[in-house]
Amino acid sequence: MRAQFVLSEIGVGLRRNLTMTFAVIVSVALSLALFGGSLLMSDQVSSMKGYWYDKVNVSVFLCNKSDAESDPNCAKGAVTGDQKKQILADLKKMDSVVEKVTYESADEAYKHYKEQFGDSPLASSLTPDQMQESYRIKLKDPEKYQVIATAFDGRDGVQSVQDQKGILDNLFELLNLMNRAALGVMALMLIVALLLIVNTVRVSAFSRRRETGIMRLVGASGFYIQAPFIMEAAVAGAIGGGLACVFLILGRYFTIDHGMALSEKLNLITFLGWDAVLTKLPLILAASVLMPALAAFFALRKYLKV
Amino acid sequence: MCKALPRLRSRARFAYGHGHLPPMVRGVSVIRFDSVSKVYPKQNHPALRDVTLEVEKGEFIFLVGSSGSGKSTFLRLILREERASHGQVHVLGKDLARLSNWKVPQMRRQLGTVFQDFRLLPNKTVAENVAFAQEVIGKSKGEIRKSVPQVLDLVGLGGKEERMPGELSGGEQQRVAIARAFVNRPKLLIADEPTGNLDPQTSVGIMKLLDRINRTGTTVVMATHDQNIVDQMRKRVIELEKGRLVRDQARGVYGYQH
């Protein structure tokens, strides 16, 4: 009886305020879709970080013959066998930061270059002796690049010390910035959604003041009087939350799997799986119900005397 | 038309003018006002000044006085729509000042209220309007199915359960409102000018109905401007003027100034 009564009251209330309800649903859907999107984005960035930082090396490039003529760092000529031994020995001593050192000869470098850039005109004009030998150093902590740089930059036979992480960091910075922008838009949308809910509740309470007045007089409890309004907001919010979930699923489907098909075009990046998307959905649904309900509750304290 | 009765103003004489109940006896009274004053915020003149009176179980009381005399404030204090600024209001043995907010609904379930403007829900049928008062306090479906026809019979609307309020005459609408106020069998029925919108003949019917309800043991407090009714019924009359209790008279009449 109670449940049926409350449910029918909710239906009546939502239909009476159809335009307002629609606005609430759309704004909740958009804000939560943005929220979910930016959650996924930051997950994506941190998983990419984990993946790439694991792969990045610090490279100590050694001077070759042609560098000796062109590069001031190599003014003392190409690297010698002794210098190489010394560098390797020093690297071995730094085992507190260095996890692994691999040596890449000029031939190997040439081979890798060919593999990566295959048929480009630059690759075809390249010869193995133009390539540099290098030590590829994998660090225990990718942040500790500076230690290697200070130890080897400017040393005889070393052309340059390069940190691949630096290049990646720029990319991640950009992604984080986009993420923060999305969160900002989300916050605005959320404020809009909550204000809309407050206003909807106000209108709803006003249009039902006759009913609530009678309820008060015959001694209906505060909960009983408020429940329909709060449920109304919660139902509208839940519909919006459901839509946000659909947006997220469609969003992943069309950007990554099909449509833009980023997973094929950017096959260097491992994209988040469906499980990452699905685990966000309960969070979004819970937020979509709780936030409007709370907003309605506080609005009622102001606009509905119990 | 008004009989020239002596205007009696002394509160000392009439505060317990109903007579036989000394103020020390507690628990029997349905309403008890002890030196109650009410000042609304931002207003200099109190709406009610130092009103002391007692209403016993089963009484029928007319509350008279010109507009702005404090009748509405008096009723709102009983319903705890407002709280007294000074003094104590007891309703059904409870000190309303000490009644916490969440207990107010429980208290109101023992009161019934009827207004001049009926306050029916226009999109619900007669039976639904009456059932509404039970639904919202969580009565069971079976109970509602039993008590609604009963109370509609009592108010003389048997057979009109499925009508909409708009199809009914004013008198019939007020009967629906009374049925709704009475369906939960309140101990106290408060009527704020229930005949204010009705013609004299219809009003008589409503008064007979209120009298019948009174005879079931329900205390009735009725604010009214209707002189004929007050003069005919010869019930206890309480008159307010500018917030003061100026007359409390058993078997009274409306007064001569009108």
Side-chain angles (χ1 to χ4, degrees), chain A residues 1-2 4-5 9 12 16 210-212 214-222 224 305-306, chain B residues 76 79 81 105 108-109 113 115 119-122 124 132-133 135-139 141 180:
Chain A
M1 184 69 228
R2 280 159 177 254
Q4 193 190 337
F5 176 74
E9 288 286 299
V12 169
R16 183 158 26 197
R210 202 177 251 273
E211 277 96 330
T212 52
I214 293 164
M215 284 167 130
R216 244 154 45 75
L217 277 176
V218 300
S221 64
Y224 223 80
K305 210 176 144 198
V306 174
Chain B
R76 290 171 69 79
L79 289 166
E81 300 247 27
R108 288 195 183 134
R109 285 177 199 188
T113 323
F115 297 94
R119 303 205 185 167
L120 300 176
L121 300 175
K124 288 188 191 292
F132 187 76
E135 276 164 355
V136 298
I137 61 169
K139 287 270 167 75
K141 219 169 193 169
R180 183 180 64 195

Side-chain angles (χ1 to χ4, degrees), chain B residues 70 78 85 102 114 146 235 239 245:
Chain B
I78 296 172
S85 312
W102 64 274
V114 179
K146 202 180 82 194
K235 300 283 188 186
E239 183 174 350
L245 179 72

Side-chain angles (χ1 to χ4, degrees), chain A:
Chain A
M1 184 69 228
R2 280 159 177 254
Q4 193 190 337
F5 176 74
V6 170
L7 282 179
S8 73
E9 288 286 299
I10 295 167
V12 169
L14 285 178
R15 257 176 283 134
R16 183 158 26 197
N17 265 329
L18 203 58
T19 48
M20 212 79 123
T21 307
F22 182 74
V24 168
I25 289 172
V26 169
S27 57
V28 167
L30 286 180
S31 60
L32 288 179
L34 279 171
F35 174 63
S38 67
L39 276 184
L40 285 176
M41 183 82 159
S42 73
D43 275 12
Q44 176 74 60
V45 167
S46 59
S47 96
M48 274 161 70
K49 267 185 187 162
Y51 180 79
W52 285 102
Y53 281 180
D54 217 40
K55 295 224 178 328
V56 296
N57 293 317
V58 175
S59 306
V60 176
F61 289 104
L62 305 174
C63 298
N64 62 15
K65 274 177 203 140
S66 55
D67 288 332
E69 291 151 24
S70 61
D71 196 310
N73 286 343
C74 297
K76 291 185 179 162
V79 70
T80 64
D82 283 348
Q83 283 170 341
K84 278 199 276 188
K85 267 183 208 151
Q86 188 58 46
I87 289 168
L88 189 62
D90 287 351
L91 278 171
K92 289 264 161 72
K93 272 186 239 157
M94 299 170 81
D95 57 358
S96 61
V97 283
V98 172
E99 192 178 306
K100 213 175 101 193
V101 183
T102 43
Y103 169 75
E104 191 181 64
S105 70
D107 283 337
E108 281 164 345
Y110 178 74
K111 221 164 68 192
H112 286 152
Y113 191 89
K114 278 281 192 192
E115 274 168 16
Q116 238 174 337
F117 298 101
D119 306 324
S120 75
L122 189 64
S124 56
S125 68
L126 212 62
T127 56
D129 59 310
Q130 284 174 305
M131 299 304 289
Q132 288 169 314
E133 299 166 71
S134 64
Y135 285 109
R136 299 285 160 115
I137 301 141
K138 184 151 169 41
L139 296 176
K140 284 182 177 152
D141 175 1
E143 309 287 334
K144 292 271 168 62
Y145 149 78
Q146 210 54 45
V147 180
I148 307 292
T150 46
F152 297 101
D153 223 359
R155 188 189 275 229
D156 289 346
V158 173
Q159 190 250 343
S160 66
V161 180
Q162 238 181 45
D163 180 21
Q164 292 174 323
K165 180 172 167 287
I167 304 163
L168 283 177
D169 277 349
N170 287 335
L171 175 69
F172 292 144
E173 192 104 333
L174 180 73
L175 291 177
N176 276 334
L177 209 68
M178 282 162 61
N179 210 7
R180 252 173 263 150
L183 277 176
V185 176
M186 177 218 94
L188 271 180
M189 287 301 299
L190 203 62
I191 290 168
V192 169
L194 294 182
L195 288 179
L196 270 171
I197 287 162
V198 168
N199 207 34
T200 309
V201 165
R202 192 179 65 162
V203 170
S204 194
F206 184 77
S207 67
R208 251 191 278 167
R209 63 194 185 286
R210 202 177 251 273
E211 277 96 330
T212 52
I214 293 164
M215 284 167 130
R216 244 154 45 75
L217 277 176
V218 300
S221 64
F223 170 78
Y224 223 80
I225 298 175
Q226 294 183 334
F229 296 95
I230 293 175
M231 296 289 278
E232 235 174 85
V235 167
I239 296 172
L243 275 178
C245 292
V246 172
F247 287 160
L248 273 192
I249 290 169
L250 289 181
R252 197 208 122 95
Y253 186 79
F254 282 112
T255 52
I256 296 177
D257 300 325
H258 297 80
M260 285 166 74
L262 289 181
S263 63
E264 285 167 36
K265 289 177 194 159
L266 296 176
N267 51 14
L268 286 175
I269 301 172
T270 27
F271 286 98
L272 290 176
W274 281 108
D275 54 329
V277 179
L278 293 180
T279 51
K280 299 290 174 296
L281 301 188
L283 184 68
I284 286 174
L285 281 177
S288 75
V289 172
L290 287 179
M291 282 189 312
L294 273 178
F297 178 76
F298 285 110
L300 284 175
R301 292 165 70 104
K302 193 171 172 197
Y303 298 116
L304 186 72
K305 210 176 144 198
V306 174

